Amino acid sequence: MRTLIVLTLLAVLVVAATCYESRESMESHEYFNPFLNRRRASDFIQADTRLRAITQERIRERNKAHQEYQRELCEDYYPCEMYAFRHGYPAAYKHYFGRRRTK
């Protein structure tokens, strides 16, 4: 009977020693709320600046200036490009594509 009491006390001490929560684990916010907010989940990851630059370049390509669009159109047509070397791209565009009428 005495050994049973001693073994029970020893088992209680072992359980108390292994299940004890330290102060450091109680200070962690994850102990009380293990799930993160969606906004805070990726706070520690910095956005890739190269990816941002590529995205901005793609946006700029879609929204070209009117003169740039005219110049590219003129560069694709060889007679217009030759005329542009002598008289400039605005005059060449006007000469070859300015008379077009849209309905």
Side-chain angles (χ1 to χ4, degrees):
M1 186 71 166
R2 214 177 223 178
T3 57
L4 184 62
I5 293 173
V6 170
L7 286 175
T8 306
L9 286 175
L10 187 61
V12 169
L13 286 174
V14 168
V15 168
T18 57
C19 294
Y20 174 73
E21 297 261 348
S22 66
R23 214 169 12 121
E24 288 104 16
S25 65
M26 295 294 278
E27 289 174 355
S28 173
H29 64 85
E30 294 172 355
Y31 180 75
F32 297 111
N33 188 8
F35 301 106
L36 291 175
N37 186 346
R38 284 186 197 176
R39 293 184 186 135
R40 294 198 57 217
S42 61
D43 281 348
F44 61 93
I45 298 175
Q46 296 295 325
D48 191 7
T49 55
R50 289 182 305 148
L51 183 62
R52 185 176 297 151
I54 291 170
T55 304
Q56 291 297 324
E57 182 65 27
R58 297 294 175 249
I59 290 170
R60 274 187 245 117
E61 283 179 3
R62 272 188 286 177
N63 302 328
K64 291 183 180 176
H66 186 64
Q67 291 84 4
E68 186 177 353
Y69 175 73
Q70 288 179 351
R71 182 179 178 135
E72 287 181 359
L73 190 61
C74 192
E75 285 176 348
D76 290 339
Y77 186 54
Y78 184 73
C80 183
E81 187 176 18
M82 290 295 112
Y83 192 88
F85 286 143
R86 186 168 288 183
H87 301 286
Y89 281 101
Y93 181 83
K94 191 179 288 184
H95 180 74
Y96 284 98
F97 302 107
R99 292 185 298 247
R100 288 186 177 182
R101 304 230 182 228
T102 56
K103 291 183 179 182

